[in-house]
């Protein structure tokens, strides 16, 4: 009898999961053309993966011609690498590359169904971009941000001067991709207070079409990934500054004791210590919880310009 009950529960759970999946697909809108703002490492990675795996044409936008050229050249390099490793053929690489076009004009996003902003974590910059996207993009287009820490509700609010008008703000969502985008499978989908169900479902389904594994998070400081990751890194820095252990011991015990590919201090270097500090400040200021107080040593290293791999010096020398 117990076995029968368990099988019945498992069958019901399976049916509910299929029903939920079907409902989500019903609400999700089709994405035929994507726009990406920002031709840096994150933006280019998102654009390339969408062109390669979701098979959609992508308009890559950047205010700088130089950054745009550099980004597209990097796309060529990545595709050539895939051809050399026989992951794709040259014909496939050519076809993927043909789906990528660059522009310095935001107005060229007037025909997209979905746009993803991937510019630096500067709140006012993002607010200005979304205010403009609400005017430029079609009335059905999903307006997504790749922010790792800024409130989605605040970004959505920037799309209108009338809080009762949710025609644009309901289409704002976060698709927080992990870096490097072509390799990392995870992506966080975060809804703001104004985000509609259709917007959320469309974002989830499109990211799955890009070959990503999605996690849905509430719009809270740090969301899921950084709410867990950054205090872990910050605590490792505190262990170093209070002489609980030296650099190599801290990284070695986490690598060899928890089977992570990289220790927390080395990971902080790769992320950028200024980025780590910025996110810890957001967590601390937004929650008021002392457990998120940034390490004194982390602040000092950023003040010294020791930002990690990108500056040539952090916890390690590069």
């Amino acid at each position: 009898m117990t076995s029968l009950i368990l099988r019945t529960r498992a069958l019901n759970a399976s049916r509910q999961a299929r029903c939920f999946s079907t409902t989500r697909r019903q609400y999700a809108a089709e994405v035929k053309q994507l726009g990406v703002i920002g031709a840096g490492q994150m933006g280019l990675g998102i654009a390339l993966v969408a062109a390669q795996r979701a098979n959609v044409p992508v308009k890559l936008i950047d205010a700088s011609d130089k950054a745009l050229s550099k980004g597209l050249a990097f796309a060529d390099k990545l595709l050539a690498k895939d051809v050399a490793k026989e992951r794709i053929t040259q014909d496939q690489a050519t076809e993927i590359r043909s789906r990528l076009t660059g522009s310095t004009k935001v107005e060229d996003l007037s025909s997209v169904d979905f746009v993803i902003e991937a510019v630096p974590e500067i709140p006012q910059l993002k607010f200005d971009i979304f205010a403009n996207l609400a005017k430029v993009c079609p009335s059905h287009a999903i307006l997504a941000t790749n922010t790792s820490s800024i409130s989605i509700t605040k970004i959505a609010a920037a799309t209108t001067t009338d809080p009762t008008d949710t025609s644009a703000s309901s289409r704002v969502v976060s698709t927080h991709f992990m870096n490097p985008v072509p390799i990392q499978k995870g992506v966080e989908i975060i809804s703001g207070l104004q985000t509609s169900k259709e917007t959320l479902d469309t974002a989830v389904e499109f990211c799955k079409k890009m070959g990503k594994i999605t996690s849905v998070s509430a719009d809270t400081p740090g969301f899921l990934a950084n709410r867990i990751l950054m205090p872990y890194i910050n605590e490792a820095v505190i262990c170093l500054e209070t002489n609980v252990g030296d650099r190599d011991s801290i990284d070695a015990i986490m690598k060899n004791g928890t089977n992570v590919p990289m220790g927390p201090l080395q990971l902080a270097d790769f992320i950028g210590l200024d980025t780590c500090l910025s996110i810890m400040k957001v967590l601390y200021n937004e929650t008021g919880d002392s457990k998120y107080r940034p390490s004194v040593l982390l602040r000092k290293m950023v003040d010294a310009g020791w930002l990690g791999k990108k500056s040539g010096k952090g916890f390690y020398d590069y």
Side-chain angles (χ1 to χ4, degrees):
M1 179 62 73
T2 301
S3 177
L4 178 60
I5 291 172
L6 291 174
R7 286 200 301 270
T8 302
R9 287 177 178 174
L11 180 60
N12 288 337
S14 177
R15 285 172 177 168
Q16 288 174 352
R18 287 198 300 271
C19 180
F20 178 76
S21 178
T22 301
T23 301
R24 172 155 280 168
R25 285 195 295 270
Q26 287 175 344
Y27 276 97
E30 185 179 3
V31 178
K32 297 179 180 178
Q33 188 176 83
L34 176 70
V36 176
I37 298 179
Q41 185 176 9
M42 287 299 297
L44 188 278
I46 293 167
L48 182 59
V49 170
Q52 184 169 359
R53 298 177 189 170
N55 298 320
V56 294
V58 182
K59 292 185 177 180
L60 183 62
I61 308 294
D62 198 289
S64 165
D65 276 314
K66 183 178 179 181
L68 200 59
S69 298
K70 184 178 179 181
L72 291 173
F74 187 51
D76 292 334
K77 182 179 179 180
L78 291 176
L79 288 171
K81 185 177 180 180
D82 281 347
V83 171
K85 292 190 174 183
E86 298 184 346
R87 293 170 181 161
I88 58 175
T89 66
Q90 182 57 56
D91 287 344
Q92 287 174 322
T94 301
E95 183 180 354
I96 293 164
R97 182 61 178 83
S98 71
R99 298 189 192 111
L100 278 173
T101 57
S103 173
T104 56
K105 299 178 181 178
V106 177
E107 291 74 19
D108 286 341
L109 297 176
S110 60
S111 61
V112 300
D113 304 300
F114 200 115
V115 59
I116 301 173
E117 162 272 312
V119 303
E121 291 287 273
I122 303 171
Q124 193 57 53
L125 174 61
K126 291 183 186 284
F127 298 156
D128 291 343
I129 287 173
F130 275 80
N132 196 21
L133 288 176
K135 299 173 184 176
V136 170
C137 296
S139 59
H140 71 277
I142 303 300
L143 311 178
T145 174
N146 187 56
T147 184
S148 60
S149 60
I150 301 170
S151 166
I152 313 308
T153 298
K154 288 182 180 179
I155 293 175
T159 61
T160 179
T161 55
D162 179 4
T164 64
D165 179 11
T166 60
S167 57
S169 60
S170 66
R171 294 182 281 115
V172 176
V173 69
S174 175
T175 51
H176 178 213
F177 291 84
M178 304 295 113
N179 190 29
V181 182
I183 296 173
Q184 299 283 47
K185 293 182 179 181
V187 58
E188 285 182 306
I189 313 293
I190 304 106
S191 293
L193 187 62
Q194 310 93 321
T195 307
S196 71
K197 177 173 175 53
E198 181 180 0
T199 297
L200 174 63
D201 292 350
T202 300
V204 169
E205 289 302 314
F206 183 64
C207 288
K208 286 181 178 178
K209 193 176 179 182
M210 289 174 66
K212 300 302 180 182
I213 297 172
T214 60
S215 296
V216 177
S217 170
D219 184 18
T220 59
F223 314 135
L224 278 176
N226 285 325
R227 186 70 169 262
I228 298 167
L229 176 63
M230 288 304 160
Y232 158 69
I233 288 175
N234 192 59
E235 191 63 30
V237 181
I238 291 173
C239 285
L240 179 64
E241 73 177 332
T242 56
N243 299 312
V244 175
D246 60 26
R247 180 197 69 185
D248 293 344
S249 292
I250 291 168
D251 276 358
I253 191 59
M254 297 313 297
K255 285 174 65 179
N256 301 309
T258 64
N259 203 32
V260 292
M262 192 179 292
L265 300 178
Q266 186 182 13
L267 178 58
D269 276 356
F270 275 73
I271 292 171
L273 302 192
D274 53 339
T275 300
C276 294
L277 177 60
S278 175
I279 296 172
M280 285 305 300
K281 284 180 177 179
V282 169
L283 289 171
Y284 183 52
N285 293 334
E286 292 290 326
T287 65
D289 193 328
S290 61
K291 72 179 180 181
Y292 297 120
R293 184 172 59 244
S295 158
V296 173
L297 178 58
L298 182 61
R299 290 179 183 272
K300 285 183 177 179
M301 292 184 72
V302 172
D303 288 343
W306 298 351
L307 308 181
K309 189 173 186 296
K310 63 185 174 184
S311 69
K313 184 175 179 61
F315 293 107
Y316 295 80
D317 293 330
Y318 299 90

